Amino acid sequence: MPEIHVVQKHNRHLYERYFDPYFQLRHDIYVKQRKWMALDRPDGREIDQFDTDHAVYLFCFDEGQLIGAMRALPTLSPTLLSDIFPYLSMRGPIRRHDVYELSRVFVIPERRGEHAGPRVETLLLTAITEYGVSIGLTSFSIVLESWWLPRFERCGWKAHPLGLPRMMDDMAVLAVMVDCNEATWRSLCRQIGRTGPILTWQGLSGVNRQLLPDISPLHSPTVQPAQ
Ligand code: COA
């Protein structure tokens, strides 16, 4: 089973060697494959103004290889919604301590659409939900292409639109809020066949977080048979 690590400013030094390949992968995926040419840079790395000390990354590794990732930004700091796509939110920018914005989710092409085990993408959604619940988030904001909505629906993520979709490069793009709570996390754990937390918090013992429970049926309260 792949491992998913939380990486942020306090433990980034432990993962420094992965950052250059990570930004190269983002360039390959978003610029070369997806043709998001606004993100192009001559050095072949896709790095934007939100890759700062505020960013939190989930890195998914399998046998030491980075096979997928996701980025989370506190909404009290600048986000894609506040600085690039403010017109997608009818309520104005989201700036809340209990909401992080998600972006740059990807799985390397060779590991997409897997059916032998849980999809790497579902592992990442489970992991970010675990991260959110652990640090007390109640929602994620996301600027996304509309094809994500049925996928979220299928995995039990409840998405609430913040405004009307806009066509961009022939694609309907909108901003949503997604609920982040323990019930969603438990449901995702069941979908991926796990009975407890999956995140690795290497070097982050100083982070104030709630420890999530084992949800194995063996640890459920005993049900007494009716007399
Ligand atoms: N436009 C429309 N649909 C898309 C899509 C796109 N750009 N990318 C994926 N999908 C749909 C596929 O059509 C497919 O649907 P199907 O299974 O009904 O045929 C489904 O999503 C599965 O996609 P696939 O890529 O085969 O596998 P996955 O579920 O393991 O991975 C992603 C999904 C999004 C993680 C992966 O496609 C990826 O990394 N894409 C590049 C990065 C990206 O575009 N991220 C989103 C913006 S940040």
Side-chain angles (χ1 to χ4, degrees):
M1 175 74 86
E3 289 179 6
I4 302 189
H5 292 231
V6 179
V7 183
Q8 40 121 299
K9 68 176 176 187
H10 295 114
N11 66 347
R12 185 176 166 133
H13 59 284
L14 301 175
Y15 295 87
E16 209 51 66
R17 69 183 182 283
Y18 293 105
F19 269 88
D20 196 48
Y22 165 66
F23 289 128
Q24 284 184 49
L25 267 178
R26 277 179 31 181
H27 193 272
D28 286 351
I29 289 172
Y30 294 108
V31 179
K32 290 194 191 150
Q33 295 165 21
R34 300 283 334 257
K35 309 278 182 226
W36 291 0
M37 300 318 289
L39 305 181
D40 194 12
R41 291 181 10 148
D43 66 358
R45 272 70 176 161
E46 194 276 295
I47 303 173
D48 67 11
Q49 65 268 48
F50 308 108
D51 290 301
T52 66
D53 272 359
H54 299 295
V56 177
Y57 303 92
L58 295 189
F59 282 171
C60 182
F61 296 106
D62 200 6
E63 296 181 357
Q65 186 195 4
L66 187 61
I67 61 167
M70 178 183 279
R71 180 176 69 180
L73 304 168
T75 58
L76 293 180
S77 307
T79 59
L80 278 84
L81 185 61
S82 67
D83 286 25
I84 301 184
F85 303 107
Y87 49 86
L88 291 178
S89 173
M90 281 162 41
R91 301 190 227 154
I94 306 294
R95 296 191 198 283
R96 283 172 39 183
H97 70 91
D98 59 339
V99 180
Y100 276 31
E101 183 189 79
L102 305 183
S103 54
R104 300 296 192 270
V105 55
F106 71 83
V107 175
I108 61 169
E110 310 86 78
R111 300 298 300 265
R112 292 180 194 162
E114 292 189 344
H115 296 292
R119 283 181 189 233
V120 177
E121 183 228 5
T122 316
L123 288 177
L124 282 166
L125 297 185
T126 308
I128 196 65
T129 308
E130 178 183 327
Y131 176 78
V133 175
S134 300
I135 66 158
L137 303 183
T138 61
S139 309
F140 298 114
S141 55
I142 319 178
V143 173
L144 44 67
E145 295 162 332
S146 59
W147 54 267
W148 279 101
L149 297 175
R151 298 166 66 87
F152 283 0
E153 184 79 29
R154 274 201 295 275
C155 81
W157 261 23
K158 289 194 174 56
H160 312 281
L162 289 169
L164 296 173
R166 292 275 190 102
M167 290 308 290
M168 295 180 207
D169 293 334
D170 292 331
M171 193 66 87
V173 176
L174 71 161
V176 298
M177 294 278 271
V178 171
D179 300 341
C180 173
N181 53 48
E182 197 173 314
T184 308
W185 172 68
R186 283 171 181 261
S187 154
L188 279 159
C189 284
R190 280 192 290 275
Q191 288 176 47
I192 63 167
R194 294 294 287 254
T195 55
I198 60 172
L199 279 177
T200 300
W201 300 74
Q202 186 179 204
L204 291 175
S205 54
V207 170
N208 189 12
R209 66 185 168 100
Q210 180 200 338
L211 293 180
L212 296 188
D214 186 346
I215 57 169
S216 151
L218 292 175
H219 289 79
S220 301
T222 312
V223 179
Q224 298 295 331
Q227 296 298 311

